[in-house]
Amino acid sequence: MTVSSNNDKWFAISMGLLGVIIGYSLNSFMHGGTLVAPTEQVAQAPTAPSVPPPPAAATGTPPQTGIGPTLGQKNATITLVEFTDFQCPYCGRHFTDTFGKIKADYVDTGKIKYELRNFPLTQIHPNAMIGAEAAMCANAQGKFWQMHDTLFTNQGTWSNESDPTATLKKYAADIGLNATKFASCLKNHDMASVIQKDQADGSAAGIDGTPGFWIIGPNGKTQQISGAYPFDTFKTAFDGMLQ
């Protein structure tokens, strides 16, 4: 072999190695400085959906109706049962964004009844139980929904207090409750057993978080919704059962 052919051989090898080095270097630069093989794909974090996914399949059996405080006409075709926690921020979101629309379009028009049951998540919401008790003590005086609206409207205030008793008594006075009866009901935990029954019924119905809903329609039609879904999700369910 001649000197010229040897030089040609080593020149070709050198150029090949240089190409590999350049290729890896460019690939490293494109992936933020981490050296990866040319065929490897770097995964990107998925973008969070702008709307919740469709409600999942039911995980329990529908609860018995006609137990909790109810809005709407007795002979309405559909009953919507909500299990709520007055300290839960997602329940607050449902109240702010969706409850009023359901009430205006379906409850006030006689199409559905809206029943509420208590499901305080006391492990993570230390004021959830006393909030539920305040609502049910108001119910004993015929003003559950007024207290319901007050608690959610002012959720950022009473729910962050170490002891919201005085604030809840003020709310009771504001909505016209008998102050003495309300204070006694709250102090003696008169509604604790009612709330515990709601929790047991919710668990049996597959409720494991709040807000949790069951829509119970005619001819055995039911649908479970778990979470603070937008109004359109409920509208679709209601309209499907009303057809």
Side-chain angles (χ1 to χ4, degrees):
M1 182 180 296
T2 65
V3 174
S4 177
S5 62
N6 281 335
N7 289 340
D8 290 342
K9 176 182 177 182
W10 286 110
F11 178 80
I13 293 173
S14 299
M15 292 302 293
L17 289 173
L18 181 60
V20 171
I21 293 170
I22 292 172
Y24 268 69
S25 298
L26 288 173
N27 191 58
S28 174
F29 176 79
M30 293 293 291
H31 291 85
T34 301
L35 190 64
V36 293
T39 57
E40 183 179 348
Q41 299 296 319
V42 178
Q44 295 182 351
T47 302
S50 57
V51 296
T59 58
T61 56
Q64 181 181 349
T65 61
I67 296 176
T70 303
L71 284 174
Q73 297 181 7
K74 292 183 178 180
N75 61 350
T77 303
I78 294 171
T79 301
L80 172 64
V81 182
E82 176 188 357
F83 288 86
T84 198
D85 173 330
F86 285 101
Q87 193 178 356
C88 165
Y90 296 101
C91 298
R93 178 189 298 176
H94 172 77
F95 171 78
T96 301
D97 296 346
T98 306
F99 172 78
K101 295 176 183 177
I102 293 176
K103 183 177 182 299
D105 289 5
Y106 290 92
V107 177
D108 294 346
T109 56
K111 296 176 182 178
I112 76 165
K113 297 189 296 286
Y114 199 118
E115 182 173 345
L116 196 134
R117 307 288 298 276
N118 293 283
F119 203 81
L121 302 174
T122 54
Q123 303 91 334
I124 56 175
H125 299 145
N127 285 341
M129 178 57 80
I130 194 172
E133 289 180 305
M136 296 310 293
C137 286
N139 186 58
Q141 297 190 43
K143 293 194 174 184
F144 172 83
W145 293 101
Q146 291 91 327
M147 182 61 81
H148 166 277
D149 293 359
T150 298
L151 291 173
F152 278 128
T153 300
N154 298 282
Q155 188 184 68
T157 300
W158 68 269
S159 66
N160 290 317
E161 296 177 347
S162 58
D163 181 3
T165 302
T167 301
L168 296 174
K169 289 179 180 179
K170 180 182 181 303
Y171 295 160
D174 290 343
I175 64 175
L177 296 181
N178 181 297
T180 301
K181 290 181 178 179
F182 179 84
S184 175
C185 179
L186 208 59
K187 179 180 178 180
N188 296 324
H189 306 288
D190 290 349
M191 296 297 160
S193 61
V194 174
I195 295 165
Q196 290 164 1
K197 175 68 163 57
D198 283 354
Q199 290 177 303
D201 289 351
S203 295
I207 303 297
D208 57 6
T210 56
F213 305 88
W214 272 97
I215 303 174
I216 303 169
N219 303 317
K221 295 179 181 179
T222 62
Q223 182 173 343
Q224 185 178 11
I225 298 176
S226 300
Y229 278 81
F231 170 72
D232 286 347
T233 300
F234 292 90
K235 175 179 171 58
T236 298
F238 296 151
D239 291 350
M241 291 185 183
L242 289 169
Q243 290 178 354

